[in-house]
Amino acid sequence: MSDLTHRIARCFVLVLLCLGGYAAHAEPYLAVQMGLKCGQCHVNPTGGGLRTTFGDVFAQTVLPAQHLDAGTDNWTGQLGQYLRAGGDLRFDGSVTQAPNTKTVQQFQNEQTRVYLEADVIPNRLLAYVDEQVAPGGALNREAYMVYWSATHDWYLKAGQMYLPFGLRLQDQTALIYTATGINMTTPDQGVEFGWERGHWDAQFAVSNGTAGGAVTSNGKQSSGQLSYVQSLWRVGVAANFNAQSGGSKSAYAIFGGLRTGPISWLAQAEVTNDESIANSQGKQLGTLLEANWLIARGNNLKITQEFLNPNREVANAERTRWSLVYELTPIQFVQVRTGVRYSDGIPQDDSEHQRLYFVELHGFF
């Protein structure tokens, strides 16, 4: 790249960074901010994916800085009496810098996803599909059926699903996900039982295991969490046990949220032990602390501090990451975010000292 092209590209990204802001897709801070459970806004009781009718209306009337009145009813995804649809598109531009490494600048279609829900028996039995259609070929994320009790205080789910374990963040590169390997890019096939009663919320799942590839053993993965939700605060615990053929992996977490005026806090701490790694080198510790400041309607400032010790048997192996992200929701269905992330780790590894500058456009319906 010539010096002139390099300067133009850098100026373009910097201009975007000055204009930006971003989006609500499985953002638990919004649940803390509003004093709601994740299942209030998402079809999936543990969050993420297609929004409920409540979530669609919230995203159009409460979330944006300005509601554009088109003179029609709000979008609710309704395609007919029994079908609902939705979608997400994320496109970003980024600059990545690291010591002794060439700067990387790129535009990327992060993901384009479509959601479809069929109310086979209204309010009791539904079929759900979450399909990523880009980049690359089609990739199924979730495909399951859910049976709800008549009072909606318990459900049974079967198929491919995201596993219940702690906070379900929008950022799938979060260090707490590095430790456990459980995130929204690693769904698994199995069954899940959920229980909701007043302030309490619980899920337990048994699945094949997320080691990757074909199932080659009788070992299964068990995941569960229990949370207590109040209007101003919430707390939960989670556990996961993956009986891999090469050595079992276990993880335990405590997580929660707190609203203090215009600031919504999220926190999670977890320990992981992967026995497939020899010499007790698979013991990890990860933490996350995040503050979301609702500056004004449709304007959120996110500050996140993350910590990961990838090997508790080795001294001075810790990694940290700081993020400063400004989020703007100017109108319904459109969000943009811009920010910077700074990573720090062992001095001899340049890749652990990255600076990432990015802007992301998010369209959703």
Side-chain angles (χ1 to χ4, degrees):
M1 178 183 291
S2 67
D3 290 342
L4 177 60
T5 304
H6 181 83
R7 287 196 295 270
I8 291 174
R10 176 172 293 182
C11 288
F12 180 74
V13 172
L14 288 176
V15 168
L16 288 175
L17 291 174
C18 291
L19 295 176
Y22 112 95
H25 165 65
E27 284 280 37
Y29 83 85
L30 289 171
V32 174
Q33 192 178 89
M34 302 302 296
L36 302 172
K37 294 182 180 181
C38 295
Q40 184 72 37
C41 287
H42 292 276
V43 171
N44 190 337
T46 55
L50 181 67
R51 297 156 188 85
T52 61
T53 299
F54 178 95
D56 278 330
V57 174
F58 171 84
Q60 296 168 78
T61 60
V62 178
L63 189 62
Q66 178 184 5
H67 177 80
L68 296 186
D69 187 0
T72 59
D73 293 335
N74 288 314
W75 163 265
T76 62
Q78 206 73 36
L79 300 180
Q81 185 176 359
Y82 301 106
L83 292 177
R84 293 183 65 248
D88 279 278
L89 183 146
R90 291 179 181 272
F91 178 80
D92 61 47
S94 64
V95 176
T96 305
Q97 299 175 334
N100 306 309
T101 305
K102 185 177 180 179
T103 297
V104 176
Q105 305 172 11
Q106 67 175 349
F107 294 108
Q108 174 179 291
N109 180 1
E110 183 182 339
Q111 67 173 20
T112 301
R113 299 167 78 152
V114 293
Y115 313 120
L116 184 64
E117 172 196 4
D119 291 315
V120 182
I121 302 177
N123 299 317
R124 297 297 302 276
L125 181 67
L126 67 86
Y128 176 73
V129 175
D130 172 352
E131 191 80 10
Q132 181 172 312
V133 297
L139 178 63
N140 179 247
R141 291 302 190 188
E142 290 194 297
Y144 56 74
M145 295 195 73
V146 178
Y147 173 81
W148 280 95
S149 67
T151 55
H152 266 234
D153 57 356
W154 63 267
Y155 68 84
L156 185 63
K157 179 194 299 183
Q160 178 159 296
M161 67 196 76
Y162 302 133
L163 299 177
F165 188 88
L167 297 174
R168 185 158 289 169
L169 304 170
Q170 181 275 334
D171 177 21
Q172 301 305 295
T173 67
L175 294 185
I176 56 174
Y177 291 157
T178 301
T180 63
I182 302 173
N183 56 46
M184 294 175 71
T185 67
T186 58
D188 202 6
Q189 298 183 24
V191 295
E192 177 182 301
F193 174 78
W195 177 78
E196 299 183 2
R197 185 71 60 86
H199 297 290
W200 292 97
D201 205 0
Q203 296 85 29
F204 176 74
V206 178
S207 58
N208 284 334
T210 55
V215 178
T216 58
S217 71
N218 292 326
K220 291 293 179 282
Q221 181 169 210
S222 300
S223 310
Q225 63 182 20
L226 174 68
S227 57
Y228 184 81
V229 179
Q230 287 276 9
S231 60
L232 293 179
W233 59 273
R234 63 197 61 207
V235 65
V237 292
N240 173 271
F241 182 77
N242 194 356
Q244 303 172 113
S245 57
S248 298
K249 182 177 181 179
S250 59
Y252 304 93
I254 182 170
F255 58 95
L258 173 68
R259 186 172 83 246
T260 55
I263 301 178
S264 299
W265 301 85
L266 296 174
Q268 181 162 318
E270 62 192 28
V271 291
T272 305
N273 184 19
D274 189 347
E275 296 179 356
S276 67
I277 302 176
N279 302 319
S280 299
Q281 301 294 297
K283 296 181 179 180
Q284 302 186 21
L285 169 67
T287 64
L288 176 140
L289 178 63
E290 179 178 292
N292 289 271
W293 176 23
L294 181 62
I295 301 172
R297 178 171 167 170
N299 293 263
N300 182 65
L301 181 65
K302 181 192 300 288
I303 302 174
T304 310
Q305 195 278 337
E306 301 172 69
F307 171 85
L308 174 65
N309 186 340
N311 186 349
R312 300 192 336 249
E313 300 297 316
V314 176
N316 304 315
E318 298 87 355
R319 295 169 55 190
T320 59
R321 190 174 76 160
W322 286 88
S323 301
L324 178 66
V325 180
Y326 180 70
E327 306 177 335
L328 172 67
T329 311
I331 60 175
Q332 63 266 38
F333 305 126
V334 177
Q335 292 185 315
V336 189
R337 80 174 168 179
T338 183
V340 57
R341 287 198 173 103
Y342 173 72
S343 300
D344 191 20
I346 58 177
Q348 60 270 32
D349 189 346
D350 291 336
S351 67
E352 292 189 5
H353 296 267
Q354 287 188 351
R355 283 184 174 86
L356 171 67
Y357 307 89
F358 66 93
V359 62
E360 179 183 88
L361 172 67
H362 179 212
F364 62 96
F365 62 93

